[in-house]
């Protein structure tokens, strides 16, 4: 193994010596951080794997919450008359994770994590996790 790394160092050294007149270090330094930054049309909130900022729930998010309501009620062994999506965040994975704050009574809220697969998979939303005992002011974070 040591022989391999020794040969690799020699090869890289020869490569550097041979091509340094063509590509001097100053050539590489001309690319500033600004030139390599992410364009404005791709904000950090859309980064795959990261959570978006909280936004008011849309009719689409309410529809997703309604679709997983039976799954949630089954796991909690309880029925909920009120089930209003308030805010949500998303996370791009191999599909989309929705983190949804849902009001289930005047002062009681739950946080749902719902996975929506890619359209070609033809699967409905799936409740992947939830947190009970939340309040209106509890932040909606990854769980």
């Amino acid at each position: 193994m040591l022989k391999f790394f020794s040969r690799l160092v020699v090869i890289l050294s020869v490569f550097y010596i041979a091509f340094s007149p063509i590509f001097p270090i100053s050539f590489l330094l001309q690319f500033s951080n600004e030139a390599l930054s992410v364009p404005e049309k791709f904000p950090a909130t859309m980064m795959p794997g990261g959570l978006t900022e909280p936004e008011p729930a849309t009719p689409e998010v309410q529809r997703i919450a309604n679709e997983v309501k039976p799954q949630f009620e089954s796991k909690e062994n309880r029925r909920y008359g009120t089930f209003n999506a308030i805010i949500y965040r998303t996370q791009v994975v191999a599909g989309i994770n929705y983190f949804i704050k849902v009001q289930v009574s005047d002062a009681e809220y739950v946080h749902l994590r719902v996975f929506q697969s890619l359209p070609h998979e033809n699967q409905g939303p799936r409740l992947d996790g939830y947190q009970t005992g939340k309040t209106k002011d509890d932040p909606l974070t990854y769980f």
Side-chain angles (χ1 to χ4, degrees), residues 1-37:
M1 192 71 157
L2 185 58
K3 247 184 190 181
F4 170 78
F5 286 113
S6 298
R7 288 182 182 168
L8 182 62
V9 168
V10 169
I11 291 169
L12 291 175
S13 298
V14 169
F15 180 81
Y16 176 74
I17 291 168
F19 291 103
S20 62
I22 299 170
F23 297 110
I25 296 293
S26 60
F27 171 78
L28 297 175
L29 295 177
Q30 75 181 356
F31 299 105
S32 68
N33 287 339
E34 185 177 313
L36 299 175
S37 65

Side-chain angles (χ1 to χ4, degrees), residues 67-85:
E67 284 191 44
V68 299
K69 181 181 177 186
Q71 297 172 45
F72 175 67
E73 289 176 331
S74 174
K75 291 181 185 226
E76 278 292 291
N77 198 23
R78 180 177 166 193
R79 299 281 178 232
Y80 292 91
T82 303
F83 208 75
N84 298 324

Side-chain angles (χ1 to χ4, degrees), residues 121-141:
E121 295 177 359
N122 293 324
Q123 296 178 1
R126 178 184 73 220
L127 181 65
D128 273 356
Y130 63 92
Q131 297 176 330
T132 59
K134 296 295 184 175
T135 67
K136 180 181 179 181
D137 298 324
D138 286 333
L140 185 59
T141 59

Side-chain angles (χ1 to χ4, degrees), residues 58-128:
T58 64
E60 174 68 12
V61 171
Q62 183 64 57
R63 182 193 61 77
I64 291 169
N66 291 342
E67 284 191 44
V68 299
K69 181 181 177 186
Q71 297 172 45
F72 175 67
E73 289 176 331
S74 174
K75 291 181 185 226
E76 278 292 291
N77 198 23
R78 180 177 166 193
R79 299 281 178 232
Y80 292 91
T82 303
F83 208 75
N84 298 324
I86 306 299
I87 61 169
Y88 76 103
R89 300 176 78 175
T90 59
Q91 177 189 36
V92 177
V93 290
I96 299 176
N97 279 328
Y98 287 87
F99 293 82
I100 308 170
K101 180 186 288 268
V102 176
Q103 184 177 14
V104 293
S105 73
D106 287 341
E108 188 180 358
Y109 294 78
V110 297
H111 292 177
L112 307 178
R113 185 176 72 229
V114 179
F115 176 73
Q116 178 64 62
S117 63
L118 297 171
H120 74 279
E121 295 177 359
N122 293 324
Q123 296 178 1
R126 178 184 73 220
L127 181 65
D128 273 356

Side-chain angles (χ1 to χ4, degrees), residues 32-48:
S32 68
N33 287 339
E34 185 177 313
L36 299 175
S37 65
V38 177
E40 190 60 35
K41 68 179 183 178
F42 298 109
T45 58
M46 295 303 291
M47 182 185 315

